[in-house]
Amino acid sequence: MKMRALSYLILAASLAWMGCSSDDDSYVPLMAEENEEFSGGDVTSFNFSAEAFGFAAPELSFDDRLRFGVGNSLFNQSWVTAPSSTTGRDGLGPFFNARSCSGCHFKDGRGRPPLNQGERSSGLLLRFSSLAIDEFGYAIPDPVYGNQLQDNAILGIEAEGEMKISYTAITVTYPDGNKVILQKPDYDVLDLAYGPIAASTLISPRVANHMSGLGLLEAIPEATILMLSDPSDANGDGISGKPNYVYNVATGSLTLGRFGWKANMPNVNQQVAGAFSGDLGITSNLFPDEFCPPQINCNEIPNGGTPEIPDENLSNVTFYASTLAVPARRNFDDPNVLEGKALFNQINCAACHIPKLETGAHPIDVLANQTIRPYTDLLLHDMGPELADGAPEFDANGREWRTPPLWGIGLFDVVNDHTNLLHDGRARNFEEAILWHGGEAENSKLAFMQLTAIERSKIIEFLNSL
């Protein structure tokens, strides 16, 4: 039996209403699972303040805590233009989206779309690509602006352009007559400084994810993820999750993708190095080349060294990102939350958002052999035409997205003062996010809509507990 099916049967058995007979005295209420509050196993934090995403794994050694602190400093520091007396943090740009990692992942949390046209993006960027693929499997970038719009530049150089978002209201009506107004975004780029983008260029918005539990996701055995996959929907359940195999720069080979909205990064180190390169314009040994439009000669612009972030510093940031603890569940034993969890499974959300997994071996000892509750399968799923960006990434097509982990989502409002969800932040709350689901999740969305308003609210209470 496939692990996905086995996991679901176990969940259904453990979460179903028990003792349902004509004798009311025989009813047994739903109960929380043992250790259910430990979302990250031993890598769980019980601080639910505005700093909830920023705590280290509790079991780190003294030396590793020092290393975590160094990585934290590099993650939060603002990089400056070269040359500078602060040589350890110069080399910003020449084009960039933020001056620090925390500029997009504020308090290690989640970004959001701008609230208005005058506001700078707060963790949302536009990816540029085409339908054509290079020899490594990457989608060919825009010939002028590269892989993403960088809306900032160093002194003396004009920024590439400015993102524009407009919204169209869409009304969704439940069978019970209740209505929800969704906002459908449309993206454009204004004031392009170096000519138009190519007619074949695809624009895909991507919001910065929160940082919790990245190392634990890396520690899930590849065999586990592949056992959850069913790319041809062989069991006929309408769920056809598939793995994405992506280019691993360090090994020069294709590797299972785990990180990014389309699982386009194989490990935390490459994810971090890619963000330094694309978002800050900071080179590394993994990504040694600056990108400039054809009108700008990058070689004539002072840099912060070759590479601008040395391997040791990149490794420290990777260690920091890998060992951030996962916030514990709140209200996990509340009756409404337990009923919401049962309904979440009843409408088959757990077919993709797998509640419980086991990590395997990992070079960072505290991440190994943990029972975790990330609510993801790390696989690609067709989410339907409304969420499609048309942009392929390796094996991911233009309608497919990685199942995002749900742990920590109930604290976005506490940490980042918003509840925006999905890859571009279009959903302003959990309900809107569910109503945007399509494709493989269409039946679950329709089942959600068929529930009573009270039942829907209990699912929301459950999601808020994660």
Side-chain angles (χ1 to χ4, degrees), residues 21-282:
S21 73
S22 58
D23 182 359
D24 291 341
D25 292 336
S26 68
Y27 169 73
V28 178
L30 289 168
M31 301 292 290
E33 301 167 58
E34 183 178 5
N35 296 323
E36 187 171 359
E37 67 271 34
F38 290 88
S39 297
D42 292 339
V43 189
T44 300
S45 165
F46 284 80
N47 187 302
F48 308 130
S49 71
E51 310 300 325
F53 296 146
F55 291 92
E59 302 298 322
L60 287 182
S61 67
F62 178 78
D63 287 343
D64 281 345
R65 284 189 173 276
L66 292 178
R67 188 180 180 192
F68 179 90
V70 172
N72 178 41
S73 174
L74 291 165
F75 186 88
N76 287 290
Q77 73 177 9
S78 291
W79 294 74
V80 297
T81 305
S84 168
S85 59
T86 54
T87 55
R89 57 185 181 96
D90 69 350
L92 179 71
F95 298 90
F96 58 96
N97 295 103
R99 296 179 180 273
S100 67
C101 302
S102 60
C104 292
H105 304 276
F106 182 61
K107 294 185 178 180
D108 304 292
R110 184 181 175 87
R112 60 165 175 78
L115 297 177
N116 54 64
Q117 188 56 38
E119 183 189 23
R120 282 289 183 186
S121 176
S122 190
L124 176 73
L125 58 82
L126 298 183
R127 285 280 176 84
F128 292 153
S129 64
S130 69
L131 293 175
I133 303 296
D134 69 13
E135 68 272 23
F136 302 109
Y138 290 104
I140 300 294
D142 185 82
V144 174
Y145 297 99
N147 292 309
Q148 66 193 58
L149 178 72
Q150 294 170 309
D151 53 1
N152 289 287
I154 63 175
L155 187 66
I157 294 180
E158 194 170 359
E160 292 178 346
E162 181 181 347
M163 177 195 320
K164 178 186 177 182
I165 311 175
S166 56
Y167 293 99
T168 302
I170 297 177
T171 301
V172 175
T173 304
Y174 286 102
D176 62 13
N178 285 313
K179 298 179 185 295
V180 175
I181 307 298
L182 305 180
Q183 54 175 14
K184 182 177 182 178
D186 183 66
Y187 298 89
D188 199 0
V189 184
L190 305 177
D191 302 324
L192 286 165
Y194 304 99
I197 61 175
S200 60
T201 292
L202 303 167
I203 298 176
S204 180
R206 307 288 172 87
V207 73
N209 264 314
H210 67 303
M211 304 287 292
S212 296
L214 296 183
L216 292 168
L217 298 177
E218 186 176 80
I220 297 170
E222 180 173 342
T224 297
I225 299 170
L226 296 182
M227 287 181 68
L228 294 170
S229 69
D230 186 13
S232 61
D233 191 19
N235 63 2
D237 68 351
I239 308 297
S240 54
K242 75 178 188 184
N244 198 4
Y245 281 93
V246 304
Y247 187 69
N248 185 317
V249 178
T251 64
S253 62
L254 292 179
T255 306
L256 179 70
R258 298 169 185 257
F259 302 104
W261 282 102
K262 295 209 175 191
N264 67 318
M265 286 292 181
N267 51 53
V268 179
N269 193 54
Q270 188 166 317
Q271 174 75 19
V272 170
F276 267 113
S277 173
D279 303 345
L280 279 76
I282 300 293

Side-chain angles (χ1 to χ4, degrees), residues 289-321:
D289 300 321
E290 303 271 20
F291 178 83
C292 290
Q295 298 92 326
I296 303 292
N297 186 347
C298 279
N299 295 326
E300 295 179 353
I301 300 171
N303 63 45
T306 306
E308 290 170 327
I309 182 168
D311 288 346
E312 182 180 5
N313 283 352
L314 179 64
S315 177
N316 285 331
V317 178
T318 298
F319 183 85
Y320 168 75

